[in-house]
Amino acid sequence: MVRTGSASVAAGPTLAVVAREAGVSVPTASKVVNGREDVAPETRRRVTEALDRLGYVRRPRFDAAKSSGLVDLVVHSLETSWSGAVLHGVEAAAHDAGLEVVVSAGLTRNRAGRPDRGWMDKLTARGSSGVLFNLAELTSSQYGWLDQHRIPYVLIDPVLEPPPGVVSVGAANWQGGVTATEHLLALGHERIAVVAGHQRRMCSSARVAGYRSALAAAGIRQRPEYVRHAGDESAARLRTLELLDLPEPPTAVFVCSDHMALGVYEALAERGLRVPDDISVVGFDDLPEARWTTPALTTVRQPLSEMAATALRLLVRMMEGDRPESTRTELSTRLVERASTAPPRD
């Protein structure tokens, strides 16, 4: 027996297993479990029989009066303005819902980078009613543990593609990549490079795909040498120096995070180049640092606090026994023009 929220339930098959057994989607199985009316009688019969056959234990509906009143927020780090924006959004939404938030940093992996079970034990010991994960890399066993113990959870901007049925909230990264590139194209740039994050990250691949799509739509030849992957400020500086050493260096750079844009600025300063007179730069995130740089950074704003608040509201719905119709929620991005972009000199 394990404690989840205020209820003790026996481990058993997950809803995904029931859905597979009945030949339906997880959202459809969830509708049957929660007594929703919009399910065909034959489908309801198959799901009900699968529930009984597999011994599925229905999670009790969330009762604020009986709940611990706690939800966990597991973040990658507490040392960045990114995490501050996420925490602000979660706290505001939790206050509206009458919940308190327990914040933990970097608990999903230990110092050696291997999966860490310590946060699981702390979670059950606290009796938290649900969990939000921000930029966390969960393993298949950790996903399985959460499902097996019927702990509701939502991912905020997941690093990797989550398993089917896992609820997540993020930004419209592909469209953001399109918007950033179209802005530079509209200024007259054609030699546009991109400094992206790690290739395996969902957001990085989506932003690069948007960049490529915008170039293709404009009839601009895509240059493989203009696509560089970094991951932090230091690596972005090195990738920028490599771009500047090309026979035809870019006249503009789309950087897939504001933090990496700081590394791009550093590399340009080392070479005696001025932003935007010699080269234009567009970032992504719209963190406070984007306004503090000189010149202030043109960037694509992703609504971090709104993403976090949306995730908390989705989590509350799941704690109440409801299941979102869509497992992926994307909030729109928009360009914030500042002083780091201008038409090319030549």
Side-chain angles (χ1 to χ4, degrees):
M1 303 288 282
V2 294
R3 188 180 177 209
T4 60
S6 61
S8 293
V9 296
T14 65
L15 195 59
V17 172
V18 173
R20 188 162 56 247
E21 176 75 9
V24 301
S25 66
V26 172
T28 298
S30 177
K31 288 180 182 180
V32 175
V33 169
N34 294 308
R36 295 269 293 272
E37 300 292 335
D38 51 338
V39 180
E42 174 59 22
T43 301
R44 184 181 302 279
R45 182 191 63 78
R46 295 205 318 270
V47 173
T48 301
E49 289 179 354
L51 290 167
D52 294 339
R53 184 165 58 251
L54 296 174
Y56 180 85
V57 179
R58 291 164 172 79
R59 179 182 174 87
R61 289 184 65 83
F62 175 69
D63 185 338
K66 298 178 181 178
S67 166
S68 65
L70 293 177
V71 294
D72 271 57
L73 170 62
V74 179
V75 298
H76 177 70
S77 169
L78 287 172
E79 299 175 352
T80 65
S81 52
W82 169 290
S83 57
V86 168
L87 182 57
H88 174 75
V90 170
E91 283 186 325
H95 179 269
D96 292 342
L99 298 169
E100 293 185 1
V101 182
V102 178
V103 183
S104 304
L107 292 185
T108 58
R109 292 180 178 271
N110 60 27
R111 293 182 179 178
R114 291 188 292 271
D116 186 2
R117 286 189 56 90
W119 62 271
M120 302 178 184
D121 298 331
K122 293 177 182 177
L123 182 68
T124 52
R126 278 194 292 271
S128 292
S129 299
V131 193
L132 296 173
F133 294 100
N134 177 225
L135 291 176
E137 296 184 57
L138 300 179
T139 65
S140 57
S141 62
Q142 288 169 338
Y143 279 120
W145 185 90
L146 289 163
D147 290 338
Q148 191 76 6
H149 293 75
R150 309 197 195 291
I151 298 175
Y153 61 97
V154 177
L155 310 184
I156 305 170
D157 197 23
V159 174
L160 307 177
E161 183 74 36
V166 172
V167 177
S168 67
V169 177
N173 290 300
W174 179 87
Q175 186 57 55
V178 169
T179 300
T181 309
E182 286 181 341
H183 170 67
L184 294 169
L185 289 167
L187 290 171
H189 293 277
E190 294 187 0
R191 292 172 11 221
I192 304 171
V194 59
V195 176
H198 296 297
Q199 287 180 277
R200 65 192 186 94
R201 291 193 58 171
M202 282 180 61
C203 63
S204 295
S205 59
R207 292 168 193 175
V208 172
Y211 154 85
R212 288 180 167 140
S213 180
L215 291 181
I220 303 298
R221 179 173 66 90
Q222 299 180 46
R223 306 188 187 204
E225 68 272 21
Y226 278 6
V227 179
R228 304 284 166 149
H229 290 274
D232 57 27
E233 183 177 335
S234 176
R237 169 186 163 273
L238 296 175
R239 300 294 85 78
T240 304
L241 293 174
E242 293 169 359
L243 288 168
L244 296 176
D245 288 336
L246 292 173
E248 276 194 298
T251 62
V253 182
F254 165 39
V255 195
C256 289
S257 83
D258 291 348
H259 282 304
M260 289 196 299
L262 300 179
V264 173
Y265 270 40
E266 184 179 351
L268 297 176
E270 287 180 30
R271 294 295 177 87
L273 298 175
R274 295 173 299 171
V275 179
D277 296 344
D278 298 308
I279 190 164
S280 289
V281 181
V282 176
F284 203 109
D285 290 331
D286 195 28
L287 298 175
E289 293 89 323
R291 300 189 297 275
W292 302 338
T293 58
T294 303
L297 182 66
T298 294
T299 189
V300 176
R301 181 183 186 272
Q302 62 171 334
L304 298 176
S305 292
E306 294 91 332
M307 286 160 50
T310 298
L312 190 282
R313 289 190 286 268
L314 286 172
L315 181 64
V316 170
R317 283 180 54 190
M318 295 169 67
M319 288 156 53
E320 292 173 343
D322 195 8
R323 182 78 182 179
E325 290 293 328
S326 174
T327 57
R328 173 69 176 178
T329 300
E330 288 194 350
L331 276 62
S332 61
T333 56
R334 64 179 177 86
L335 186 75
V336 179
E337 290 190 53
R338 295 195 177 98
S340 66
T341 54
R345 293 175 60 180
D346 49 6

